[in-house]
Amino acid sequence: RPREHREDAHLLPRQGLLGAAQVVLELHDRCGFDEHGLAGLGGAVSDAEAAPEARLDRKHEAAVPLGDVAVLEAREQIVVPHQAVQRGVDLATEPLDVSIIIPCLNEEKSIAECVTKALAWLSQSGMTGEVVVVDNNSTDRTSEAARQAGARVIFEQLRGKGNAFRTGMREASGRYIVMSDGDATYDLSHLDQMIEPLKQGYDMVIGNRLKGEMESKSMPWLHKHIGNPLFNALIGLIARQRMGDVLSGLRSFTREAWATMAPVSTGFELESEMCLRAGRHHLKVKDVPVSYAVRRAPSKLRGLTHGWAITRFIILESADLILIVPGLLAIVLGVFALALGVVASEGVDVGSVRW
């Protein structure tokens, strides 16, 4: 609608809007489209909700005419705090501060709560940001629930948490990345502690469930007291850096740190790989205690199956330390023992010949 007829006109950043409009009008003149708009090319600003933020779009679907300018209609929502709008932030040229990426599979019961809490935190944080939900080929209404809650939803057909998260990283544009699960076990309305250390120079922040408030039955006894501590010790030894909860699904990091780690795992091994590579590249990692709640839906984690998959990945990822170095050491010791035996021996009689 024309700016003068919009109830939320004071929330629209004029510089960014006019910049986008100039591009649309230039293409309009070059391509000779009619007065009804640019089919399939437009993009734009949606009606802001009754809250102190505007929601803007970065990808375009359909154009709408607006006198001498065009307003783009939102498909992917970005939270713009009121303070940023007052400063006249141009989102067409400035990157977002935070991207919250939630890879999920069949989380219809909990994904809306995750998105709502994440958007609420973004709204009061004073930073620009987005919530990106990556639907990993769900068979329920996960994508619909996430979209209705206000998230930007993209899809990854190839199953696996690692596959889904890398797809989210390719689509996200934030300088700081928050990675979380979509099962509502993590409280996404309190993410300040995940972002502040990054501003202070840390490369990655891990939410430590074992040091935070953990609801009863939120984690099996075997995982809490045996599995997680063993993986923490093993990865900490290899990475030469103490980490309190290497399997935590809530963590944050800078975009530069992600490029440095360059994870390649396809499944639940993603968190372990990030910790291993962070240690290899001497990245600064900080643990912060986080709360952990009971899942709404049955867990997809299979203790023995996924535990072995993570163990195998750690062995292969760290083959130089776990296999090659011990193997070379065994060879050296073997050769030394053989030489010592030859020197110390007085020989062996074989028939009439002494060797």
Side-chain angles (χ1 to χ4, degrees), residues 236-271:
L237 179 64
I238 297 172
R240 298 177 183 176
Q241 188 170 164
R242 185 168 182 173
M243 299 181 188
D245 191 0
V246 296
L247 301 183
S248 174
L250 178 62
R251 58 190 63 200
S252 62
F253 44 87
T254 63
R255 186 167 288 276
E256 293 77 15
W258 174 263
T260 299
M261 294 182 290
V264 297
S265 56
T266 61
F268 281 103
E269 314 89 65
L270 176 64
E271 290 90 348

Side-chain angles (χ1 to χ4, degrees), residues 32-321:
F33 292 147
D34 61 27
E35 61 184 355
H36 298 295
L38 306 178
L41 184 65
V45 181
S46 70
D47 289 338
E49 298 176 358
E53 74 253 3
R55 297 186 183 277
L56 305 182
D57 184 270
R58 294 181 302 119
K59 289 189 178 179
H60 317 315
E61 282 191 281
V64 288
L66 181 62
D68 293 333
V69 297
V71 173
L72 308 174
E73 185 165 77
R75 178 163 67 100
E76 301 162 2
Q77 298 192 357
I78 300 172
V79 174
V80 186
H82 188 54
Q83 304 94 307
V85 175
Q86 287 181 325
R87 293 196 303 267
V89 172
D90 185 357
L91 296 181
T93 58
E94 295 192 15
L96 297 176
D97 294 321
V98 184
S99 289
I100 302 174
I101 305 177
I102 308 177
C104 59
L105 171 64
N106 294 334
E107 299 290 2
E108 176 185 356
K109 296 181 180 179
S110 55
I111 189 62
E113 178 183 344
C114 297
V115 172
T116 301
K117 287 185 175 182
L119 287 173
W121 175 80
L122 276 173
S123 178
Q124 58 82 34
S125 68
M127 294 184 288
T128 59
E130 61 183 350
V131 177
V132 180
V133 170
V134 186
D135 188 328
N136 200 196
N137 204 13
S138 297
T139 57
D140 62 3
R141 297 184 64 258
T142 295
S143 59
E144 291 88 341
R147 188 177 292 109
Q148 290 172 5
R152 173 186 171 200
V153 179
I154 58 180
F155 297 88
E156 172 54 57
Q157 299 299 320
L158 189 60
R159 287 281 179 90
K161 184 175 184 179
N163 293 326
F165 190 78
R166 280 197 301 277
T167 297
M169 280 298 302
R170 287 194 294 269
E171 294 291 329
S173 59
R175 293 184 295 116
Y176 302 133
I177 307 296
V178 175
M179 166 185 168
S180 181
D181 296 333
D183 53 10
T185 53
Y186 300 103
D187 186 0
L188 299 185
S189 62
H190 298 90
L191 294 178
D192 290 330
Q193 61 182 347
M194 304 298 297
I195 298 298
E196 288 305 317
L198 300 180
K199 295 180 179 179
Q200 298 168 8
Y202 283 91
D203 299 299
M204 183 166 69
V205 182
I206 301 176
N208 192 330
R209 300 165 295 176
L210 304 178
K211 289 186 177 179
E213 296 183 7
M214 188 178 295
E215 289 187 6
S216 176
K217 298 182 180 180
S218 60
M219 183 183 295
W221 186 93
L222 190 65
H223 295 182
K224 181 178 181 180
H225 297 285
I226 298 179
N228 276 25
L230 283 177
F231 282 123
N232 291 339
L234 178 59
I235 292 179
L237 179 64
I238 297 172
R240 298 177 183 176
Q241 188 170 164
R242 185 168 182 173
M243 299 181 188
D245 191 0
V246 296
L247 301 183
S248 174
L250 178 62
R251 58 190 63 200
S252 62
F253 44 87
T254 63
R255 186 167 288 276
E256 293 77 15
W258 174 263
T260 299
M261 294 182 290
V264 297
S265 56
T266 61
F268 281 103
E269 314 89 65
L270 176 64
E271 290 90 348
S272 302
E273 180 183 19
M274 292 174 68
C275 292
L276 284 171
R277 296 197 173 190
R280 288 293 185 89
H281 293 284
H282 308 290
L283 299 184
K284 293 182 64 178
V285 180
K286 182 179 179 65
D287 271 9
V288 297
V290 296
S291 59
Y292 193 62
V294 178
R295 283 182 57 92
R296 306 293 173 78
S299 175
K300 303 173 187 66
L301 187 64
R302 300 293 178 262
L304 292 178
T305 303
H306 291 117
W308 165 242
I310 293 172
T311 303
R312 182 182 59 186
F313 180 84
I314 292 173
I315 294 173
L316 295 176
E317 176 72 12
S318 308
D320 56 339
L321 295 177

